């Protein structure tokens, strides 16, 4: 959440946001919280994409989506797939 807030500021703090998003991603993985992991991956991939790190963003989303059952449809899964198609 802190990372998303830092990115939404009038003068975004991308470096600090990345730290918080990476922490969120790691914590959600350790706790097995797949939905939170996907949400963090989407935000982090968006940040990577904005910086031109498209391959890294794509890899992050693809590896995170692998944990979801085929045919699963949530708003976050759809958002991740939309972001993937833009990469």
């Amino acid at each position: 959440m802190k990372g998303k807030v830092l990115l939404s500021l009038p003068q975004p703090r991308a470096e600090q946001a990345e730290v918080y998003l990476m922490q969120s991603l790691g914590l959600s993985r350790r706790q097995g919280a797949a939905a939170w992991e996907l949400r963090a991956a989407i935000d982090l991939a968006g940040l990577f994409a904005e910086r031109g790190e498209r391959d890294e963003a794509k890899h992050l989303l693809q590896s995170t989506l692998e944990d979801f059952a085929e045919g699963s449809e949530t708003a976050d899964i759809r958002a991740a797939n939309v972001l993937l198609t833009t990469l």
Side-chain angles (χ1 to χ4, degrees):
M1 198 61 152
K2 288 181 183 179
K4 190 79 168 166
V5 170
L6 289 170
L7 291 173
S8 69
L9 295 173
Q11 294 181 352
R13 297 181 186 158
E15 288 180 20
Q16 286 179 312
E18 182 178 355
V19 170
Y20 284 118
L21 291 171
M22 292 294 286
Q23 288 175 351
S24 178
L25 186 66
L27 179 62
S28 60
R29 285 180 176 166
R30 287 190 301 276
Q31 293 182 345
W36 284 108
E37 180 182 350
L38 181 58
R39 180 75 283 194
I42 291 168
D43 293 340
L44 191 55
L47 178 61
F48 289 161
E50 286 178 15
R51 293 193 312 214
E53 299 169 4
R54 298 168 64 85
D55 289 337
E56 191 169 334
K58 188 174 182 177
H59 176 72
L60 175 61
L61 286 176
Q62 288 173 331
S63 65
T64 304
L65 283 170
E66 288 175 354
D67 294 334
F68 289 88
E70 183 74 28
S72 296
E73 276 298 310
T74 66
D76 284 339
I77 290 173
R78 285 190 301 272
N81 284 319
V82 167
L83 183 52
L84 268 174
T85 61
T86 65
L87 296 171

